[in-house]
Amino acid sequence: MFVYEKKLQYPVKIKNTNPRLASLIISQYGGPDGELGASLRYLSQRYSMPYPELKGLLTDIGTEELGHLEMIGAIVHQLTCNLSEQEIKTAGIYPTAASGFPWNAASMAVKGDLIADLTEDLAAEQKARVTYDNILRLSDDPDVNDVIKFLRAREIVHFQRFGEAKRTRWRVTKRAAEQNSRKSSKMVACGCLTLKSMVMGAHPLTASFFRFPQCGHPSSERSCHSVRQSKGRA
């Protein structure tokens, strides 16, 4: 559930109209690296995210991107509010990339895989930051630049938060893998080297089905005893 606060995240107060600048900034509304795609990407990725803290992060950032979409809309509106319909058509101001391609759902880029989605999110934030950098190079309106600098700074913060999430989850996953590896090593400590490869490669259900309490090794007691006896005779 979302709670809507009827104010912009950062004030937008532009004095002068500029259709050329609006046609560039509209890319961050409906372009491939814009706020519309970003908000839908994060709010869709959260459904397949298995960890509550990352699901919350995607919800937070996805919601903020909706606020950024609102700000871009306010910028474009104020840059074009006194133009005629023909002037707006001539400027090409509609949800599209700067190259002219209209928005499409491919920009959402949702794979349903933890690492793939977080890596995509990191790249998306950097691409959005570059787009804002390019807008600042082309804009000479201080009222516009003030808002764009705020949006650019937020893209950097989002990048940092996604990076922290990926590193934290990687450490947790790595630690769990190391613990599982130590458990597997204890399971084959009985000396049954013949079946060690079976243990490491067995399906978990198969391993639990063949587990015996004496040595903890997912094999048969006879196999383990035979190895011990052969070692004793040697």
Side-chain angles (χ1 to χ4, degrees), residues 9 28 31-43 45 57-69 107-109 116-135 148-166:
Q9 186 181 12
Q28 276 303 90
D33 305 317
E35 305 295 355
L36 177 60
S39 59
L40 292 176
R41 179 187 307 118
Y42 304 146
L43 294 176
Q45 285 179 357
L57 176 64
L58 288 168
T59 303
D60 289 345
I61 296 181
T63 304
E64 184 177 355
E65 300 290 16
L66 286 174
H68 293 175
L69 181 70
S107 65
M108 290 170 62
D117 282 346
L118 286 178
T119 303
E120 169 65 33
D121 298 343
L122 286 165
E125 293 298 330
Q126 284 299 313
K127 287 185 283 187
R129 189 266 307 164
V130 169
T131 303
Y132 284 128
D133 281 341
N134 293 335
I135 291 173
I148 295 299
K149 287 176 182 178
F150 170 83
L151 291 169
R152 180 187 180 278
R154 294 306 301 167
E155 304 297 352
I156 294 173
V157 172
H158 293 171
F159 175 81
Q160 293 171 336
R161 292 190 66 189
F162 281 129
E164 292 167 359
K166 187 178 179 183

Side-chain angles (χ1 to χ4, degrees), residues 91-227:
I93 304 170
Y94 59 94
T96 179
S99 58
F101 289 100
W103 185 87
N104 64 78
S107 65
M108 290 170 62
V110 181
K111 295 299 181 185
D113 177 85
L114 169 66
I115 300 301
D117 282 346
L118 286 178
T119 303
E120 169 65 33
D121 298 343
L122 286 165
E125 293 298 330
Q126 284 299 313
K127 287 185 283 187
R129 189 266 307 164
V130 169
T131 303
Y132 284 128
D133 281 341
N134 293 335
I135 291 173
L136 288 171
R137 292 189 186 97
L138 297 171
S139 172
D140 58 359
D141 189 325
D143 296 331
V144 172
N145 292 351
D146 182 47
V147 183
I148 295 299
K149 287 176 182 178
F150 170 83
L151 291 169
R152 180 187 180 278
R154 294 306 301 167
E155 304 297 352
I156 294 173
V157 172
H158 293 171
F159 175 81
Q160 293 171 336
R161 292 190 66 189
F162 281 129
E164 292 167 359
K166 187 178 179 183
R167 287 191 297 273
T168 301
R169 180 46 54 184
W170 171 253
R171 285 195 294 268
V172 172
T173 304
K174 184 179 180 183
R175 188 158 54 245
E178 290 172 347
Q179 291 173 351
N180 290 335
S181 178
R182 286 194 291 271
K183 289 179 182 178
S184 298
S185 298
K186 291 179 181 178
M187 287 168 61
V188 299
C190 63
C192 187
L193 301 178
T194 305
L195 295 173
K196 180 176 180 179
S197 59
M198 292 177 61
V199 177
M200 302 305 291
H203 189 279
L205 293 178
T206 305
S208 62
F209 181 78
F210 286 107
R211 189 179 304 280
F212 285 86
Q214 182 171 353
C215 61
H217 189 283
S219 61
S220 67
E221 288 188 73
R222 180 177 298 178
S223 298
C224 291
H225 282 307
S226 63
V227 172

